[in-house]
């Protein structure tokens, strides 16, 4: 018999109650007639404090709080993929035939179990450990083209294999990681089953028996166990040049995207969600805009995954708590998101989690903390902000799962610093735990230079580890070019300051060459429109070709300088404009046009040299002539 | 509604807007109450907090005159609701939904909770339909899309009220009102703008300095003054607009409606809004909510909620496209801080409550569309940035919720350019979804991107020019300077309403004169189609530039000549644009501006150049 309590005090989403029976910390509770979901966040002998995850309007004192004897959990199962949920994984789908479902009403319910096709891969009598694979699961309806996950092999997560993974992949059914090891004593035959119906029975070592199902609950604040963590030495390709080439993120890595409003955090995260090469995307919209999420949903339904031809939505889980939805659920949504990501990781998949924005999550933490009357720390945030952030980012990893497969969770979190001030607590604490920082720059955003990532203040800690991958892919100069680009940009920043004082044209020619080269790096390489049909995605091959071409231009420009050609001549040549627009004009696989551009660059360089030499020859002839004339006169 | 519970003599304490009661009946959070004092006067309130033995009520009417003894409290047993029905349009209400226009209460068909419920992201239709405001900087550069929320960040003394009213009068659904653009209607609009401008001129430069001063009568008094050319314009304005509105309703214009909420505004502004809307005939398609600065501040928290409830009814029940203009959200946030402080809550940044982000979100997020329903709620909230500081919590938190922002600029305003919208920090996040092929014009997004990039470049060049002086600039830099001026005076500044096509034409016109190889945001094809005219001249100039770059003297001479030519061209173009608009009074103002701008640049460059020369001397 679960414990009960009576509500005695109410303020916003926080409620205090007098317990009758034992409650434990972080226990999920149901409040009042509407059975609003809440969580016990403080326990005393005669009073418990509860955070309610829904709108508390109309809640009265004296209402009954019902314990559930379970930590706040979400039910993980194959039906999650392709769905949209609130911060506690309750579906918030809309039924156009029922206008009432357009609004988030208090008292949401858990997801109804879906029906799936289960094909076992174990047999009765097998001894199974927690996390063991029981079989494969596929959606019952729409027997579309399916790919067998097993084909990838347990270690198969190289780029070639990635191309094989598809959204309509067969998921795996696992023995829950917290289950008792033991012997399988009953198992259903292959066929369609409901997610919450028993598909078999296990007998544990101590003789106790329990049923196994497709779906199982897991507490959101508890990381799912793994066999071991693996080094993060493979890139997670995002299709964005500035990220993949300058500030790459590894599979299992973390990155933070701080930026003031209007700098393009959300667009960047959405772009990565669309084009990155993960198997499953978990998109946590945390305290952000409803219209943006609606746009994301519509677009993901429409866009095709280039690797499978299926809608992108089918490989995505959207967890939405828009800014006007109950604030406490916002706090939970981050944990729900990463728990879902870990669930797919444990099936041997590569998962990318986008959290937009972690600042809203931190503010939710602050709001609840304030209502509890806790001592505020820096910026009004509770003192445990930093350890909560660490809890979250530390759950990102590339791992060997309990079943021996390899999977990863990569985490990208946007940070919205108030007033765009990066010294505020959330940005600062996040910086301590992430492997990469993609700092967005207001000035770039204001001149509509997207992605507005500032190459000077951004960094990535995984460059060394990932260079080997690029070498294997045939881009042996990746590191050298990357360093060249960054030094150019650094020099540009310095020279720009000078140019502002003395004027660009008064600068010596070598510095003008630097500025020109930096302009090309910026305009042709770093700028990439997320909305251009051609340029929104760049494969590593295309990135490498463009990188090489720009490298060639820099060499040519420097060579020309030595031969006495002013950089302005090169800038005025048609090839310069063609290079600047190459991302926009030349699509994937169009290698011939890139080669043509390369040839044009060489030809232009030759022409310019010839022109200069002709002028020089003329001048020297003239001086010679003058000298001759002088001699003649003498 | 439940039978109302009531209690007598249960009040224990009154503290500012808060009334404390003994907990005698079972009530819920956020529920509405009515308090009747000894004299029989009824005040509205809502339950803000509950604990074991007391109930805190936040009073929405002034508590002066309310006593503890003899107060009767009636509990509604449900949250505040707004009774809505057909006949809402054309009405004027106060901040809590009571008619102010002397008319009868609205024949209620439904009663909606004023707090609203959060709309599920999955139920939202992603906004993608363009809404034309008639303002170039918005339509062309930061397009507003139906279902969007796009705030206007203003400052004290900036003409945000006028922009709000102009948009309320001019906004339309593209295509719906094509025929309505009769010559008569257009003339009336321009007459109005002209008179508005003249009015401001007079205020600044003293009465009668500029021609067209008579027109200022037309603003405030309408048909009151019957003599003089200006008054005639004003009169025609009222007539024409009324006429236009009448036609509009006949021609299916009734899809469009405006909800206008004045939050804590001074009486003068309220009167300005009401009279301007009335004169232009826009009042017939408007619901007006007026909460005056002198009304109790707790009411201010409800004004936008009543307005949005009306908007949601019009949009999702009647199927209209509703534009909600809320002004001024800064007053709302001040009220939030005041009420929060009186409740004794822990303050956050600058004393505003920690939940201000969530609270503002419950307003702004009520913009949107619902899948499968015809209507939309578009929001244009206006706020004044305290001390013009965009990092102040109010604009900062707003910017994090809304889909972009429009920022007003004091420098442009000082130069008398209207509307003074600062282009670079302004942004519409949904523009990409509502513009381009099939939505507005295929070249619209590229043109906007190119204008942005070029204007950003022009601003940088200006900075450079203020250091090295214009003489030290290259030919290309000087072209950017000229572009910057042209852009501000011909694209940003406008008189009268511009259709999107007119706005785009102004944009293309401004781009001519920039070297074409620098227009990297446009495709070659776009350049060919729209900018072909200036082609030959450009190429010649570029090669020229390269050749003479070594020769500083020649460049300086060129520069001097060019500046002259530039300013000439400017004022010419200015007059052209204005005579296109066809209003006499404004063309005068336009060329005036041109000359002022020219001299301004000269002055600026002068002393600074001197300053840089000093150290070397």
């Amino acid at each position: 018999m679960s414990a009960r309590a009576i509500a005695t005090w109410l303020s916003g989403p926080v409620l205090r109650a007098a317990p009758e029976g034992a409650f434990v910390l972080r226990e999920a509770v149901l409040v009042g007639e509407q059975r609003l979901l809440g969580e016990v966040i403080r326990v005393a002998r005669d009073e418990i404090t509860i955070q309610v995850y829904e709108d508390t309007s109309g809640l009265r004192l004296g209402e009954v709080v019902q314990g559930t004897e379970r930590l706040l959990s979400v039910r993980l199962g194959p039906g999650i993929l392709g769905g949209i949920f609130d911060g506690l994984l309750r579906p918030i789908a809309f039924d156009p035939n029922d206008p009432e479902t357009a609004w988030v009403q208090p008292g949401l319910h858990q997801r109804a179990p879906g029906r799936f096709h289960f094909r076992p891969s174990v047999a009765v009598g097998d001894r199974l450990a927690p996390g063991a694979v029981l079989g494969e699961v596929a959606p019952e309806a729409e027997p579309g083209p399916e790919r067998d996950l097993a084909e990838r092999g347990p270690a198969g997560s190289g780029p070639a294999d990635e191309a094989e993974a598809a959204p309509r992949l067969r998921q795996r059914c696992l023995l829950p990681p917290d289950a008792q090891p033991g012997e399988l004593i009953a198992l259903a035959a292959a066929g369609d089953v409901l997610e919450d119906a028993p598909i078999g029975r296990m007998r544990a070592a101590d003789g106790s028996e329990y049923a196994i199902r497709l779906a199982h609950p897991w507490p959101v604040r508890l990381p799912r166990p793994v066999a071991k963590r693996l080094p993060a030495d493979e890139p997670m390709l995002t299709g964005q040049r500035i990220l993949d080439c300058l500030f790459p993120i590894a599979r299992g890595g973390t990155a933070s995207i701080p930026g003031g409003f209007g700098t393009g955090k959300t667009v960047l995260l959405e772009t990565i969600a669309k084009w990155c090469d993960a198997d499953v995307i978990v998109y946590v919209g945390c305290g952000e805009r409803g219209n943006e999420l609606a746009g994301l949903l519509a677009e993901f339904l429409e866009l095709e995954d280039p690797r499978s031809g299926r809608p992108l939505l089918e490989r995505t889980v959207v967890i939405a708590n828009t800014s006007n939805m109950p604030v406490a659920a916002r706090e939970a949504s981050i944990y729900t998101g990463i728990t879902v990501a870990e669930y797919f990781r444990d099936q041997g998949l590569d998962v990318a989690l986008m959290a937009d924005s972690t600042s809203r999550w931190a503010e939710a933490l602050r709001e609840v903390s304030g209502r509890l009357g806790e001592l505020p720390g820096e910026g009004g945030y509770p003192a445990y902000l930093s350890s909560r952030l660490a809890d979250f980012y530390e759950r990102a990893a590339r791992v060997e799962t309990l079943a021996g497969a390899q999977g990863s969770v990569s985490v990208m979190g946007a940070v919205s610093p108030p007033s765009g001030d990066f010294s505020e607590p959330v940005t600062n604490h996040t910086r301590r735990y992430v492997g990469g920082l993609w700092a967005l720059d207001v000035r770039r955003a204001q001149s509509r230079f997207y992605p507005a990532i500032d190459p000077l203040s951004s960094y990535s800690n995984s460059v060394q580890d990932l260079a080997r991958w690029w070498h294997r892919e045939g881009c042996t100069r990746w590191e050298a070019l990357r360093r060249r680009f960054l030094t150019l940009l650094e020099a540009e920043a310095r020279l720009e300051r000078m140019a502002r004082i003395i004027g660009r044209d008064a600068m010596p020619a070598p510095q003008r060459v630097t500025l020109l080269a930096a302009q090309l790096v910026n305009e042709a390489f770093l700028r990439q429109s997320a909305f251009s049909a051609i340029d929104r995605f760049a494969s590593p091959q295309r990135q490498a070709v463009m990188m090489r071409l720009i490298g060639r231009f820099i060499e040519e420009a420097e060579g020309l300088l030595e031969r006495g050609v002013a950089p302005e001549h090169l800038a005025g040549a048609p090839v310069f404009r063609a290079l600047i627009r190459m991302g926009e004009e030349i699509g994937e696989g169009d290698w011939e046009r890139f080669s043509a551009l390369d040839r044009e660059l060489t030809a232009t360089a030759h022409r310019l040299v010839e022109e200069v030499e002709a002028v020089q020859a003329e001048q020297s002839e003239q001086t010679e002539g003058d000298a001759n004339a002088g001699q003649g006169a003498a | 509604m439940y039978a109302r519970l009531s209690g007598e003599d249960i009040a224990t304490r009154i503290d500012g807007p808060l009334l404390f009661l003994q907990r005698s009946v079972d009530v819920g959070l956020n529920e509405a109450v009515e308090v009747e004092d000894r004299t029989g006067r009824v005040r509205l309130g809502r339950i803000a907090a509950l604990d074991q033995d007391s109930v805190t009520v936040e009073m929405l009417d002034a508590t002066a005159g309310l006593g503890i003894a003899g107060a009767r409290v009636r509990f509604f047993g449900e949250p505040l609701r707004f009774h809505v029905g057909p006949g809402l349009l054309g009405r004027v209400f106060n901040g809590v939904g009571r008619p102010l226009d002397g008319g009868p209460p609205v024949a209620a068909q439904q009663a909606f909770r004023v707090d609203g419920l959060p709309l599920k992201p999955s139920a939202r239709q992603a906004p993608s339909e363009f809404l034309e405001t008639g303002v170039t900087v918005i339509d062309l550069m930061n397009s507003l899309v139906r279902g969007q929320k796009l705030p206007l960040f203003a400052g004290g003394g900036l003409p945000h009220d006028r922009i709000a009213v102009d948009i309320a009068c001019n906004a339309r659904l593209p295509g719906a009102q094509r025929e309505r653009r009769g010559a008569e209607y257009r003339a009336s609009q321009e007459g109005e703008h002209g008179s508005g401008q003249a009015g401001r001129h007079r205020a600044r430069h003293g009465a009668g300095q500029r021609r067209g001063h008579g027109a200022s009568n037309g603003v405030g008094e309408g048909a009151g003054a019957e003599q003089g050319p200006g008054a005639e314009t004003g009169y025609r304005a009222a007539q024409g607009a009324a006429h236009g509105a009448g036609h509009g309703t006949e021609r299916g214009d009734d899809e469009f409606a405006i909800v206008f909420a004045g939050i804590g505004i001074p009486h003068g502004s309220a009167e300005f809004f009401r009279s301007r809307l009335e004169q232009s005939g826009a009042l017939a398609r408007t619901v007006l909510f007026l909460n005056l600065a002198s009304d109790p501040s707790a009411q201010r928290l409800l004004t936008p909620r009543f307005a949005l409830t009306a908007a949601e009814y019009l949009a999702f029940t009647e199927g209209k496209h509703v534009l909600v203009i809320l002004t001024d959200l800064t007053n709302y946030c001040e009220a939030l801080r005041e009420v929060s402080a009186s409740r004794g809550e822990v303050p956050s940044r600058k004393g505003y409550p920690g939940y201000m982000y969530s609270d503002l979100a419950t307003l702004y997020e009520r913009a949107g569309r619902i899948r499968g329903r015809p209507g939309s709620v578009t929001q244009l909230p206006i706020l004044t940035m305290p001390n013009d500081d965009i990092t102040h919590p109010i604009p900062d938190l707003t910017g994090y919720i809304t889909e972009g922002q429009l920022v007003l600029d004091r420098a442009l305003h000082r130069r008398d350019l209207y509307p003074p919208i600062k282009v670079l920090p302004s942004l519409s996040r949904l523009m990409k979804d509502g513009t381009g092929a099939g939505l507005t014009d295929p070249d619209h997004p590229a043109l906007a991107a190119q204008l942005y990039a070029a204007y950003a470049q022009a601003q940088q060049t200006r900075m450079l020019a203020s250091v090295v002086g214009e003489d030290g600039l290259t030919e290309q830099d000087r072209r950017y300077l000229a572009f910057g001026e042209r852009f501000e005076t011909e694209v940003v500044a406008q008189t009268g309403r511009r259709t999107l096509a007119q706005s785009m034409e102004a944009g293309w016109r401004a781009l001519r004169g920039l070297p074409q190889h620098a227009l990297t945001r446009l495709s070659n094809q776009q350049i060919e189609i729209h900018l072909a005219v200036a082609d030959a001249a450009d190429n010649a100039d570029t090669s020229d530039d390269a050749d003479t770059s070594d020769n500083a003297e020649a460049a300086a001479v060129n520069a001097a000549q060019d500046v002259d030519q530039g300013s000439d061209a400017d004022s010419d173009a200015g007059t052209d644009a204005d005579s296109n608009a066809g209003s006499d009074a404004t063309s005068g103002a336009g060329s005036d501006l041109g000359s002022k701008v020219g001299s301004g640049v000269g002055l600026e460059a002068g002393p600074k150049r001197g300053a840089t020369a000093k150290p070397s001397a």
Side-chain angles (χ1 to χ4, degrees), chain B residues 349-364:
Chain B
R349 261 204 298 167
K350 294 207 174 177
Y352 295 96
Y355 52 79
M356 191 158 90
Y357 176 84
S358 304
D359 189 275
L360 284 173
T362 59
L363 300 181
Y364 296 141

Side-chain angles (χ1 to χ4, degrees), chain A residues 571-573 576-577 580, chain B residues 476 514-520 527 539 542:
Chain A
F576 186 66
R577 185 177 152 88
I580 280 191
Chain B
Q476 179 158 339
L514 280 182
Q516 290 183 2
H517 66 83
L519 305 178
T520 53
I527 290 183
N539 288 342
T542 334

Side-chain angles (χ1 to χ4, degrees), chain B residues 312-465:
Chain B
E312 281 168 353
Y313 162 77
L314 290 171
F316 303 130
T317 306
E318 293 197 0
K320 289 185 195 306
H321 293 285
V322 187
L323 176 65
V324 185
I325 300 176
L326 305 168
T327 178
D328 168 346
L329 258 300
T330 303
N331 296 335
Y332 173 87
C333 294
E334 294 299 335
L336 197 67
R337 175 162 70 174
E338 188 182 329
V339 170
S340 162
S342 70
R343 282 192 206 165
E345 289 166 343
V346 186
S348 178
R349 261 204 298 167
K350 294 207 174 177
Y352 295 96
Y355 52 79
M356 191 158 90
Y357 176 84
S358 304
D359 189 275
L360 284 173
T362 59
L363 300 181
Y364 296 141
E365 279 292 329
R366 289 172 79 173
R369 312 196 57 171
I370 300 182
R371 268 160 55 192
R373 295 199 206 179
S376 66
V377 175
T378 311
Q379 279 188 28
L380 192 79
I382 295 170
L383 55 87
T384 46
M385 296 181 281
N387 198 23
D388 289 355
D389 177 11
I390 200 170
T391 65
H392 185 278
I394 298 173
D396 193 48
L397 295 180
T398 298
Y400 276 120
I401 305 167
T402 53
E403 285 129 0
Q405 68 277 334
L406 301 165
V407 185
L408 294 195
D409 184 24
R410 218 166 271 284
L412 287 177
H413 181 58
R414 272 197 293 267
R415 287 167 53 194
D416 221 353
L417 298 176
Y418 174 85
I421 298 174
K422 200 175 186 173
V423 172
L424 293 185
S426 297
L427 167 74
S428 164
R429 290 160 188 271
L430 300 185
M431 179 172 178
K432 59 182 197 300
D433 303 321
T435 56
L439 297 160
T440 51
D441 186 291
D443 297 332
H444 182 176
L447 173 61
Q450 183 61 63
L451 284 170
Y452 257 110
Y455 186 57
Q457 178 71 41
Q459 292 287 55
Q460 277 184 7
T461 312
R462 268 185 197 173
M463 230 157 28
L464 179 65

Side-chain angles (χ1 to χ4, degrees), chain A residues 155-466:
Chain A
S157 42
D161 289 334
E162 284 313 320
E164 292 299 311
R168 267 192 96 65
L169 41 81
R170 292 184 178 187
Q171 300 187 46
R172 287 172 171 182
C173 172
L174 306 176
L175 198 60
D178 58 348
Q180 297 277 331
E183 188 190 344
L184 188 67
I185 53 172
L187 188 67
D192 291 346
V193 281
L194 276 173
E195 270 181 284
D196 62 347
I199 54 166
R201 286 191 78 72
M202 287 279 292
R203 183 184 294 133
D206 60 2
S208 63
E209 290 181 12
Y210 59 91
I212 43 182
R213 300 176 165 81
L214 288 187
H216 63 269
W218 187 264
V220 292
R221 297 182 199 275
L222 199 66
R224 288 167 67 92
V226 296
K228 67 173 180 211
R229 287 174 82 117
L230 299 172
D233 53 6
E234 280 171 17
M236 193 195 69
L237 296 170
T238 61
Q240 307 303 303
R241 288 186 290 266
I242 188 166
L243 299 184
D244 290 349
C245 285
L246 296 193
F247 310 109
I249 178 172
R251 286 192 192 287
T254 51
S256 161
I257 310 176
F261 64 76
T263 48
K265 290 181 296 295
T266 302
V267 175
L268 184 61
L269 279 182
E270 287 181 5
T271 311
I272 298 172
K274 282 176 211 160
W275 307 115
C276 78
D277 63 347
D279 300 318
V280 174
I281 305 292
V282 180
Y283 195 95
V284 185
C286 181
E288 289 288 314
R289 307 172 179 88
N291 278 337
E292 271 174 6
L293 273 172
L296 178 98
L297 290 173
E299 216 175 346
F300 274 34
L301 201 59
E302 211 172 274
L303 280 177
E304 263 182 14
D305 184 343
R307 294 168 300 168
S308 69
R310 311 274 321 171
L312 275 175
L313 198 61
E314 284 186 8
R315 70 159 185 177
T316 310
V317 181
V318 178
I319 293 173
N321 182 283
T322 53
S323 53
N324 55 341
M325 282 163 73
V327 64
R330 196 174 306 157
E331 195 265 327
S333 64
I334 289 272
Y335 297 104
T336 302
I338 199 136
T339 305
V340 169
E342 285 177 344
Y343 165 73
F344 288 108
R345 175 203 68 191
D346 288 349
Q347 300 177 35
L349 300 169
D350 289 311
V351 187
L353 179 127
M354 281 86 192
D356 184 18
S357 137
T358 55
S359 290
R360 304 292 159 241
W361 165 80
E363 278 160 18
L365 208 63
R366 175 170 72 184
E367 193 173 326
V368 174
S369 161
R371 298 217 189 246
L372 291 174
E374 288 173 341
L375 204 63
E378 199 184 350
Y381 293 101
Y384 46 78
L385 169 70
S386 154
S387 53
R388 291 285 173 86
L389 275 168
D391 287 349
F392 168 62
Y393 281 107
E394 278 301 296
R395 286 172 78 170
R398 196 164 84 85
V399 303
E400 186 182 309
T401 65
L402 293 177
Q406 283 186 12
S408 69
V409 174
S410 317
V411 173
M412 281 143 281
V415 182
S416 324
S419 330
D421 168 18
F422 288 5
S423 67
E424 58 93 41
V426 182
T427 319
N428 252 333
H429 289 306
T430 304
R431 226 182 249 251
R432 290 162 49 202
Y433 305 115
V434 294
L437 187 81
W438 303 331
L440 299 182
D441 180 29
V442 181
R443 278 192 320 165
R444 282 188 173 234
Q446 285 193 353
S447 53
R448 300 300 189 263
F449 187 103
Y450 291 121
I453 297 169
D454 177 13
L456 299 183
S457 50
S458 302
Y459 59 79
S460 162
N461 292 342
S462 21
V463 174
Q464 294 307 321
D465 300 330
L466 301 181

Side-chain angles (χ1 to χ4, degrees), chain B residues 117-134:
Chain B
L117 282 169
L119 190 56
K120 287 180 187 169
S122 49
R124 282 179 186 268
Q125 171 82 46
S128 66
E129 287 175 298
F130 179 67
L131 178 72
E132 193 179 284
T133 60

